[in-house]
Amino acid sequence: MVAVAIVFEVVATLALRASHGFTRLGPSAVVVVGYLAAFWLLAQALKSLDVGPVYAVWSGIGTVGAFIGGVLLFGEQVRVTTVIGAALIVIGVIVMNAGGGLQH
């Protein structure tokens, strides 16, 4: 459920960029539906999982996914500092879950 929530969140975030400030109907609709689905799935997952590690995974992997999507879809620049930052996010998520945070 968390993985699917991440996919919806990343798609919604990329659609937010494509919506051009909510001036394009299609991408704007994807934003609304994507975020609603992402938050609903996250809420369902939190019924049985710990909030700290789940949120770390959801926000961290979502951030890295949005970064990669921005590069692939919008030609955003890749800089050494952004790659280091993405790596640190992934490392942080791994450390937060080292104690079995997503297992319940």
Side-chain angles (χ1 to χ4, degrees), residues 69-104:
V71 170
L72 296 175
L73 296 174
F74 303 112
E76 296 176 358
Q77 291 187 350
V78 177
R79 296 180 182 89
V80 172
T81 53
T82 55
V83 172
I84 292 169
L88 288 172
I89 289 169
V90 171
I91 291 167
V93 168
I94 291 168
V95 169
M96 288 227 26
N97 285 286
L102 286 180
Q103 301 168 4
H104 223 272

